[in-house]
């Protein structure tokens, strides 16, 4: 709870914000619980994906009850299953029936797939990623949903 000025007894939570690491507030637009960056932030550059659970820190406020708004981009040469989840969900291995991103590229030629996800983060602004192969994965953060509002 914040320390209020003399004579004030009521405060209200109006949402969490994010800075750029240099204490400059990142530009955003708020619409109720939804916070959108003017320009998305690349939080994971294209790189071979981990085939064991790995935490990735996103550009969202580091508090509980935040849901990251992400875009993902995968370059794969075959069938891949992915999980991008809150780290508290544990180290589940992605499968055909347990994934939130699935890519299937017939013939083994590298092709790209992309999409968007809403993923709850932990209080350190992290999600856990895991993949069945080493396809290239890029993660961009578009904003967040503050469910504390």
């Amino acid at each position: 709870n914040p320390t209020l000025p003399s004579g004030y007894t009521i405060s209200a939570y109006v949402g969490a914000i994010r800075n750029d690491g240099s204490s400059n507030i990142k530009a955003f637009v708020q619409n109720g619980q939804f916070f959108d960056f003017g320009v998305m932030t690349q939080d994971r550059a294209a790189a071979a994906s981990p085939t064991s659970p790995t935490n990735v820190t996103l550009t969202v406020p580091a508090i509980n009850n935040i849901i990251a708004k992400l875009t993902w981009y995968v370059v794969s040469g075959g069938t891949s299953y992915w999980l991008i989840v809150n780290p508290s969900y544990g180290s589940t291995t992605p499968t055909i029936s347990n994934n939130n991103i699935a890519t299937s590229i017939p013939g083994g030629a590298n092709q790209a797939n992309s999409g968007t996800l809403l993923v709850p983060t932990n209080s350190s602004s992290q999600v856990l990623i895991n993949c069945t192969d080493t396809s290239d994965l890029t993660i961009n953060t578009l904003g967040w949903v503050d469910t504390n509002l």
Side-chain angles (χ1 to χ4, degrees), residues 36-81:
D36 294 302
F37 290 129
V39 176
M40 68 182 169
T41 302
Q42 186 177 72
D43 285 321
R44 186 176 195 280
S49 301
T51 54
S52 60
T54 303
N55 286 340
V56 174
T57 301
L58 303 177
T59 307
V60 298
I63 62 171
N64 288 320
N65 303 315
I66 294 294
I67 299 173
K69 296 166 55 176
L70 308 175
T71 64
W72 56 270
Y73 182 81
V74 173
V75 177
S76 176
T79 299
S80 300
Y81 301 111

Side-chain angles (χ1 to χ4, degrees), residues 16-129:
I17 58 173
R18 177 66 194 209
N19 68 26
D20 64 2
S22 298
S23 297
N24 300 310
I25 296 173
K26 286 188 61 69
F28 65 90
V29 174
Q30 180 183 359
N31 184 2
Q33 293 181 311
F34 298 89
F35 293 76
D36 294 302
F37 290 129
V39 176
M40 68 182 169
T41 302
Q42 186 177 72
D43 285 321
R44 186 176 195 280
S49 301
T51 54
S52 60
T54 303
N55 286 340
V56 174
T57 301
L58 303 177
T59 307
V60 298
I63 62 171
N64 288 320
N65 303 315
I66 294 294
I67 299 173
K69 296 166 55 176
L70 308 175
T71 64
W72 56 270
Y73 182 81
V74 173
V75 177
S76 176
T79 299
S80 300
Y81 301 111
W82 295 81
L83 282 174
I84 301 179
V85 296
N86 184 302
S88 68
Y89 295 169
S91 57
T92 304
T93 300
T95 66
I96 193 168
S97 60
N98 179 30
N99 68 78
N100 57 6
I101 300 174
T103 60
S104 182
I105 311 299
N110 278 347
Q111 292 187 20
N113 292 276
S114 62
T116 58
L117 284 175
L118 293 172
V119 181
T121 61
N122 65 13
S123 60
S124 297
S125 304
Q126 295 173 325
V127 293
L128 181 141
I129 63 173

